């Protein structure tokens, strides 16, 4: 059981949906150095000139001269100092910000993990507390910190980013703005020492800052912002004037690796279409609690937890006939697309010949339900 202080993503989302919530603007970029912090500070200066009560809650300039210069003249709320593991560290002072209650607060590094002992585990949770108090927030995050594309980022860069934010945090935002540069422009900024200290430039060029990697990350960032814009358009048009509302059903088994891929890919599809989505696990008699291996059971629980964190409604059914259970849930939830993992070729040949699978296809076709076999 989760500890009381470990509050779920959905709990924070519910808080943020309350009346009187502050406005939330997120700057997103393909990597460090594109200018997210710089843009936030520019915006803060513009708001200050217009008489807006805006404060810097937390900013990270990474020693970049041009960015650091923009701090001059901006009111800053002092950071909270914490002694942890023999070091004096600094954190955003959530309680002071809540006490001062400025109209707008700039909060950098949205995916940051707070020092143990803080009120919240993650900074994005601090931001939701501020929003819930009616405070407007401007924040920033890199594309590689978004949960559902974590594996895609790892395949591109070879690095698994540990600090991540749930996709729902982006969906809470009133505005998501992409800070875009070409790969050449970003690499030029790096070589000029505008991103990292010059002693780190050669290492960065041979690792993360390669044109092919940057291009792929740029594509992910552009797609993410496109998705957010489309979601905003859809929410502002009456449902009866929209095309058929998409709804996805991810079907998983106890196969850990395949299940995780199906969940993450379906999460991306659902985000793209601004769709409701469900994760279905059908427990057959052969996988009952007294027969399933403990490791498989543990992996299943973790995958169902992941699905919940990514915004899915988890459904668990007991049925000896998996296809029958899938059909029933698809019809009950008015699903438009079913997503499942790619079966083993031998198994695929067998089920194609069975009446059960043929019946599944006929039923789905009759109800205009698509089926996607994910790689």
């Amino acid at each position: 059981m989760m500890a009381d202080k470990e509050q779920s993503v959905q709990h924070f989302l519910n808080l943020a949906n309350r009346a009187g919530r502050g406005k939330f603007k997120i700057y997103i970029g393909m990597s460090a150095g594109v200018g997210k912090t710089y843009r936030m500070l520019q915006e803060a200066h513009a708001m200050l000139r217009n008489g807006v009560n805006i404060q810097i809650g937390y900013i990270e300039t990474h020693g970049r001269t041009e960015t650091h210069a923009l701090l001059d003249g901006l009111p800053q709320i002092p950071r909270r100092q914490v002694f942890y593991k023999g070091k004096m560290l600094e954190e955003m002072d959530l309680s002071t910000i809540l006490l001062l209650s400025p109209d707008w607060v700039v909060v950098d590094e949205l995916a940051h993990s707070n020092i143990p002992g803080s009120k919240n585990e993650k900074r994005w949770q601090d931001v939701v507390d501020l929003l819930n108090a009616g405070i407007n927030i401007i924040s920033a995050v890199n594309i590689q910190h978004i949960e559902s594309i974590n594996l895609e980022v790892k395949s591109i860069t070879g690095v698994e980013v540990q600090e991540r934010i749930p996709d729902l945090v982006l969906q809470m935002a009133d505005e998501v703005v992409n800070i875009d540069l070409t790969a050449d422009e970003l690499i030029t900024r790096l070589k000029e020492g505008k991103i990292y200290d010059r002693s780190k430039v050669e290492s960065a060029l041979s690792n993360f800052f390669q044109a092919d990697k940057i291009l792929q990350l740029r594509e992910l960032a552009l797609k993410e912002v496109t998705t957010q814009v489309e979601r905003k358009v859809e929410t502002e048009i009456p449902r009866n004037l929209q095309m058929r509302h998409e709804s996805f059903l991810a079907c998983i088994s106890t196969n850990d690796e395949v299940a995780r891929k199906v969940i993450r890919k379906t999460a991306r599809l659902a985000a793209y279409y601004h769709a409701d989505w469900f994760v279905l696990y059908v427990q057959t008699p052969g996988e009952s609690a007294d027969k399933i291996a403990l490791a498989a059971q543990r992996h299943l629980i973790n995958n169902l937890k992941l699905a919940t964190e990514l915004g899915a409604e988890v459904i668990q059914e007991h049925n000896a006939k998996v296809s029958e259970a899938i059909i029933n849930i698809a019809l009950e939830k008015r699903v438009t697309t079913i997503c499942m993992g790619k079966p083993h070729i031998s198994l695929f040949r067998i089920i194609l010949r069975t009446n059960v699978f043929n019946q599944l296809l006929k039923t789905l076709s009759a109800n205009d339900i698509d089926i996607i076999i994910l790689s």
Side-chain angles (χ1 to χ4, degrees), residues 294-307:
L294 287 177
Q297 192 172 31
R298 186 173 65 254
H299 288 314
L300 175 63
I301 291 170
N302 288 337
N303 284 329
L304 295 180
K305 180 183 175 184
L306 172 65

Side-chain angles (χ1 to χ4, degrees), residues 24-31 34-47 54 59 104-111 137-146 165 169-170 173-180 221 224-225 228:
F24 189 20
K25 183 174 184 178
I26 299 177
Y27 283 104
I28 196 169
M30 59 186 166
S31 78
V34 295
K36 300 181 301 300
T37 302
Y38 191 87
R39 178 71 70 85
M40 286 195 298
L41 293 176
Q42 281 185 321
E43 185 171 359
H45 275 286
M47 294 173 78
I54 183 165
I59 208 75
W104 284 87
V105 175
V106 175
V107 179
D108 208 352
E109 305 282 346
L110 188 58
I137 300 294
I138 301 173
S139 192
V141 70
N142 287 330
I143 191 70
Q144 61 262 37
H145 295 290
I146 298 172
I165 64 169
V169 176
L170 279 184
D174 299 284
E175 291 185 75
V176 178
V177 181
N178 184 44
I179 305 298
D180 189 38
E224 186 60 47
V225 175
Q228 300 300 326

Side-chain angles (χ1 to χ4, degrees), residues 147-148 166-168 263-264 267 277 305-312:
E147 177 64 52
S148 68
D167 292 49
L168 287 174
I263 289 169
R264 282 197 164 101
W277 67 294
K305 180 183 175 184
L306 172 65
T308 301
E309 290 176 346
L310 291 176

